[in-house]
Amino acid sequence: NAGVTQTPKFRVLKTGQSMTLLCAQDMNHEYMYWYRQDPGMGLRLIHYSVGEGTTAKGEVPDGYNVSRLKKQNFLLGLESAAPSQTSVYFCASSQSNNYEQYFGPGTRLTVT
Amino acid sequence: AQRVTQPEKLLSVFKGAPVELKCNYSYSGSPELFWYVQYSRQRLQLLLRHISRESIKGFTADLNKGETSFHLKKPFAQEEDSAMYYCALRMAAGNKLTFGGGTRVLVKP
């Protein structure tokens, strides 16, 4: 039981490049989330999903897109990376509403 | 809009000393508060939630609705408590969390 895993662990992009971050969970959780963590600002919710095939915007969704085609996976896409998207990205999942969120190990992304 | 504020970015204490991490929130609904901890090279994990009213690793936190606070306390800090601590507020719809900016705790020997 790996819990929540994230791929890749590190990535360096040039401005304007695109990439997809993959989050996978093996706990059969319904809800999944993408956060970004910046110094002094804590974690901020980018997008979330309350079930397969559904997504919704969080606090800072601009510049990101997501998809939840399979229950166990939640993909975060950057279509045209910008230096402001340099951050550590965390994925999380929870069984459903009112349940603890379990976090992945994070992906450190640098955009130059 | 909901907001969580952790006024201290860094707390440095000696081993055995008390430690208190402050958390204040603003939320129009009925609040549900959490403390999450991130140890070095480990993932973020839940430390405690106010609704459980339990003590975890010697830490306690009391929700004070009058002062809109949820401060985390431990009477005798240990070196292994050195970590990043985040206070978070849960919104019922979508089980979403709003996090504070975090407080880094450094416990010196």
Side-chain angles (χ1 to χ4, degrees):
Chain A
N1 189 333
V4 180
T5 58
Q6 292 182 232
T7 310
K9 288 184 170 50
F10 304 93
R11 186 71 186 270
V12 179
L13 287 179
K14 293 189 189 308
T15 297
Q17 287 185 320
S18 63
M19 79 161 294
T20 299
L21 282 66
L22 170 64
C23 176
Q25 52 93 6
D26 60 4
M27 297 175 282
N28 201 35
H29 284 173
E30 290 292 332
Y31 289 28
M32 296 186 75
Y33 315 82
W34 275 108
Y35 294 89
R36 58 177 289 171
Q37 181 187 44
D38 301 294
M41 302 186 76
L43 281 78
R44 291 179 293 168
L45 184 65
I46 305 171
H47 286 279
Y48 66 103
S49 167
V50 299
E52 181 179 317
T54 73
T55 62
K57 293 181 180 179
E59 182 185 352
V60 289
D62 294 342
Y64 305 95
N65 56 74
V66 288
S67 64
R68 183 101 181 268
L69 298 179
K70 292 183 179 181
K71 185 177 183 178
Q72 63 267 34
N73 295 337
F74 195 29
L75 277 64
L76 178 72
L78 286 74
E79 290 188 348
S80 180
S84 61
Q85 294 177 305
T86 293
S87 188
V88 181
Y89 291 85
F90 286 97
C91 176
S93 71
S94 67
Q95 185 174 336
S96 67
N97 209 23
N98 200 28
Y99 281 86
E100 176 184 349
Q101 289 188 23
Y102 292 85
F103 284 80
T107 294
R108 185 174 295 275
L109 175 66
T110 302
V111 184
T112 63
Chain B
Q2 64 284 345
R3 178 185 287 270
V4 177
T5 304
Q6 294 179 246
E8 304 118 341
K9 285 187 166 38
L10 173 66
L11 276 179
S12 182
V13 300
F14 285 102
K15 177 183 173 182
V19 62
E20 180 179 24
L21 288 74
K22 291 186 169 47
C23 172
N24 289 92
Y25 68 90
S26 63
Y27 184 51
S28 57
S30 183
E32 188 170 352
L33 278 297
F34 302 80
W35 277 99
Y36 277 80
V37 60
Q38 189 174 25
Y39 300 103
S40 179
R41 296 192 175 87
Q42 293 187 28
R43 60 187 69 192
L44 199 66
Q45 58 187 283
L46 179 65
L47 179 62
L48 55 80
R49 56 197 300 178
H50 91 270
I51 204 166
S52 322
R53 300 185 65 82
E54 57 193 344
S55 172
I56 303 290
K57 297 184 179 182
F59 285 98
T60 59
D62 290 317
L63 178 62
N64 186 325
K65 293 187 179 180
E67 296 183 357
T68 60
S69 68
F70 188 56
H71 303 328
L72 183 68
K73 302 175 187 177
K74 184 168 183 177
F76 308 104
Q78 303 299 313
E79 289 182 68
E80 56 265 30
D81 296 327
S82 294
M84 195 75 181
Y85 292 80
Y86 292 98
C87 183
L89 170 72
R90 191 183 84 89
M91 291 164 281
N95 198 34
K96 294 178 290 183
L97 294 174
T98 296
F99 285 86
T103 298
R104 181 168 298 281
V105 172
L106 177 62
V107 182
K108 297 177 286 188

